[in-house]
Amino acid sequence: MGPLIADLRSDTVTRPTAAMREAMMRAPLGDDVLGDDPTVNALCEKVCELFGKEAAIFVPSGTMANQVALRALTEPGDEIVCHELSHIYQYEGGAPAALSGCSVAFAAGARGIFDARTMEACVRPIDDHDPVTKVVSIENTHNRGGGSVWPVEKIAEVSAAARARGLKMHLDGARIMNAVVASGVSAAAYARHFDTVTICFSKGLGAPVGSAVAGDAGTIRRAKRFRKMFGGAMRQSGVLAGAAIYALERHVERLAEDHAHARRFAEGIAGVRGVRVDLGNVETNIVYFEVDGDAGALCGRLDAQGVRLLALGPRTVRAVTHLDVDGESIDRAVRAIAVAIG
Ligand SMILES: *Cc1c(COP(=O)(O)O)cnc(C)c1O
């Protein structure tokens, strides 16, 4: 195998920069289960401010962030309305069923986005036969939707319709800062439409580990109890929270570079025969494209050339940009793809 040119499998592959590692080293620490870790407390305050919420907790992963939030908002036998391609349903090991005892109902829509009327059609009648519709979950940006950004007006509509029916709103904000940077809408302007919101520090923000959940004090108190139950209450986790604070301070605006690199990549491969990519769908740092041949075999050949991509279907390939790839490595990756296909 040749030297690595670009690892575009995911924005989770980044390693902490030297400056981030220094911030981790310097972070004052304590036992967060006892509430004494000053760095975790500082991070949670920062997250509350960012989203305009009362309370926040730090958790090991985006999956745990979503699942403690959903568990806090529901009881077994409840139902969660989400898009069929949502991460909470597709990629979290069946957790809504396993950990919360909830079923899911699918609201359909292009690129992971649905409207208020589609959501309302999923709401169950109050009847002993039916699960109780309890939460509507939205993902922004939407991963399987191609890194699509939910228009805030659309979120407002869905949220108003949900709340009129007494439903709770959850935001899977693993990549919420990508949405913020792409749209210019603030994190708080998105978050006001939700009861619980999550953010991942280990995706485009470049921290090694960690996510947070924010919401009102009562819901977060309940989420904290489930964090303990699910094994996610950590001790001197300020060593990780230090990286997350650094990421929020230094790595948010630079997400625009990742978006520009995704566009550059998409425009590059659009010119390669045997590749189909919809440039209009490239909104943030994720590019999905279709190939004529076998996607898995192509990714295998490219891997040997030092270009790493994920085959997510027989003909579907995904590339994700992040802070460890620059313009030059993007151009080299495009040339490698042209050669591997040709
Ligand atoms: C990555 C991701 C998560 C959480 O992933 P972890 O690997 O558990 O941190 C949640 N939602 C979305 C949309 C994601 O892309």
Side-chain angles (χ1 to χ4, degrees), residues 60-74:
S61 70
T63 296
M64 188 174 286
N66 281 328
Q67 298 304 330
V68 297
L70 292 172
R71 183 65 190 88
L73 295 173
T74 59

Side-chain angles (χ1 to χ4, degrees), residues 272-276 289-296 298 301 314-317 341:
V272 174
R273 190 159 5 136
V275 169
R276 281 170 309 287
F289 58 98
E290 302 286 316
V291 293
D292 286 342
D294 181 84
L298 174 68
R301 289 200 298 283
R315 304 258 179 275
T316 308
V317 181
I341 284 184

Side-chain angles (χ1 to χ4, degrees), residues 98-299:
L99 301 180
S100 294
C102 288
S103 53
V104 292
F106 297 134
R111 314 196 68 235
I113 295 167
F114 49 85
D115 57 27
R117 201 179 298 175
T118 313
M119 180 280 288
E120 284 178 315
C122 297
V123 179
R124 302 273 189 163
I126 307 290
D127 185 298
D128 284 352
H129 294 85
D130 289 76
V132 178
T133 306
K134 189 66 68 70
V135 184
V136 178
S137 180
I138 280 177
E139 189 175 310
N140 190 24
T141 67
H142 201 285
N143 181 342
R144 266 326 280 261
S148 51
V149 179
W150 271 77
V152 70
E153 304 75 31
K154 198 131 196 164
I155 290 177
E157 256 174 56
V158 171
S159 175
R163 285 172 166 171
R165 290 163 178 271
L167 307 180
K168 301 288 187 182
M169 289 288 296
H170 172 70
L171 173 63
D172 177 350
R175 294 190 183 81
I176 187 62
M177 299 319 288
N178 293 84
V180 166
V181 167
S183 67
V185 174
S186 74
Y190 281 121
R192 57 192 278 267
H193 301 292
F194 297 91
D195 297 285
T196 48
V197 297
T198 69
I199 177 172
C200 277
F201 305 111
S202 61
K203 297 268 166 86
L205 295 178
V209 179
S211 282
V213 192
D216 65 87
T219 303
I220 296 304
R221 196 171 314 118
R222 206 169 129 81
K224 198 165 169 235
R225 169 174 159 70
F226 292 115
R227 178 183 69 169
K228 186 72 192 165
M229 189 188 287
F230 296 170
M234 300 180 285
R235 301 294 177 173
Q236 284 72 34
S237 40
V239 71
L240 302 173
I245 290 174
Y246 183 90
L248 283 177
E249 287 174 352
R250 308 294 181 91
H251 288 173
V252 172
E253 279 162 35
R254 66 150 307 285
L255 291 171
E257 289 171 35
D258 296 347
H259 301 172
H261 287 149
R263 175 144 297 279
R264 179 169 175 154
F265 176 82
E267 285 170 355
I269 60 167
V272 174
R273 190 159 5 136
V275 169
R276 281 170 309 287
V277 58
D278 188 337
L279 296 177
N281 284 351
V282 181
E283 294 179 63
T284 56
N285 68 330
I286 302 179
V287 181
Y288 278 87
F289 58 98
E290 302 286 316
V291 293
D292 286 342
D294 181 84
L298 174 68
C299 291

Side-chain angles (χ1 to χ4, degrees), residues 23 32 49 59 152 221 250 326 337:
D32 181 49
E49 211 171 289
V59 295
V152 70
R221 196 171 314 118
R250 308 294 181 91
D326 57 14
I337 291 168

